[in-house]
Amino acid sequence: MKKRFFSMFMVSLMAGAMMIGCGDKTTDGKDAKTEVASDGQTYKVGIIQYVDDASLNQIVDSLEKQLDVLAEEKGVTFEYEDYYCNGQADSTTINQMVSELINDEVDILVPIATPTAMICQAATEDNQIPVVFAAVSDPEGAGLVASNDAPGSNVTGTSDALNTEAVLDLMIEQDRDLSKVGLLYDKSQDASAAPIAAAKEYLDAKGIDYVEKTGTTNDEVMLAADALIAADVEAVFTPTDNTIMTAELGIYEKFIEAGIPHYCGADSFALNGAYLGYGVNYATLGTETANMVAEILVDGKDPATLPVKVLDNGTATVNTDTAEALGLDYEKLRDLCDGFVEIQTAEEFE
């Protein structure tokens, strides 16, 4: 998968001012798509990625590929290369990028992850540009839609809502004597709030102690991981948290050395070294997001009446390298999952 990079920076030597731009990127040796389809209309699709991590990169890659497929099928052109931005988890930067895309008169905004979706929602309250988000774990809780079934605004999209109980069932099945669990997350990530609350309720009901540690930067996450190890937790749970995801390659070996399996809310965590990821297929989520974009732009559907697409949970992804290093037999988990995938440690999905 192509690696995503931050949008261009231009530094003025006279004023010392920084200008942040979107797009103007090429992919796999191809120039940005600028030609109008010979038999149809051209639509500008603004894509705003929250941060680089394996999950979000996979979503964007699948989204763009499906837009190309749909463009050919429907006889239109989706321009996205010049309207792609990566905010690198900086809200000020993301706000500037969204404003730039609106000034570029994009036809639709596609924010990837909850923080970017909330910024796009605020930026389109007056102009009502359609917004189709991707990978928002709790659209209602974040205030993005009135309900998943009837959004009632210019905002809809796809959700990667996590079945927290199912993840923790796998954790307990793996270790029936489990007595203390670490909860590792970023308290500023809205996507983590509901699953962490659900995890606490679940563990309380099971009589299992838990220790919470949080971080908002890679360095803080590293310290939080060290603190959980020092607290003698026997397993760690992380929901679909982008901050922890970006730090996973830096912490997974710590947990392995301590003999602690890390259970997470996405397959990308397992790709980056965690023992087990559970949740949606992010390639499918990107495809479904593109389908919704086409429904609105080409088919004329109103986002206010287009239900949020909630993908099915049920696929566990086990890192076999990590399982071997921890001495864990994961075969007994297969029957508890709708899907089961074995994977080895890598930085990006192929």
Side-chain angles (χ1 to χ4, degrees), residues 54-110:
S55 289
L56 304 191
N57 291 345
Q58 187 180 30
I59 292 168
V60 174
D61 188 65
S62 296
L63 166 68
E64 293 178 349
K65 287 179 179 177
Q66 181 66 2
L67 286 176
D68 289 345
V69 170
L70 292 170
E72 185 172 353
E73 289 179 358
K74 296 177 178 291
V76 300
T77 295
F78 294 114
E79 287 188 358
Y80 55 78
E81 297 282 3
D82 288 340
Y83 307 105
Y84 165 86
C85 303
N86 188 328
Q88 299 294 7
D90 185 285
S91 60
T92 300
T93 299
I94 295 169
N95 269 290
Q96 292 172 336
M97 289 175 166
V98 171
S99 294
E100 182 180 323
L101 290 171
I102 291 172
N103 288 337
D104 286 339
E105 298 183 344
V106 295
D107 296 295
I108 198 164
L109 292 169
V110 186

Side-chain angles (χ1 to χ4, degrees), residues 156-225:
T156 187
T158 58
S159 174
D160 60 347
L162 178 64
N163 185 340
T164 302
E165 183 175 329
V167 184
L168 298 179
D169 282 345
L170 295 174
M171 183 186 290
I172 290 178
E173 179 63 25
Q174 187 73 71
D175 183 2
R176 296 290 183 87
D177 297 322
L178 191 66
S179 62
K180 185 187 287 188
V181 171
L183 303 177
L184 178 62
Y185 63 102
D186 179 354
K187 60 186 175 183
S188 70
Q189 290 280 319
D190 291 312
S192 292
I196 288 296
K200 292 177 183 179
E201 183 177 354
Y202 177 100
L203 295 170
D204 284 337
K206 297 286 187 181
I208 297 174
D209 293 334
Y210 54 84
V211 178
E212 290 181 76
K213 295 297 176 182
T214 65
T216 59
T217 67
N218 278 8
D219 288 343
E220 289 178 357
V221 173
M222 297 281 279
L223 291 173

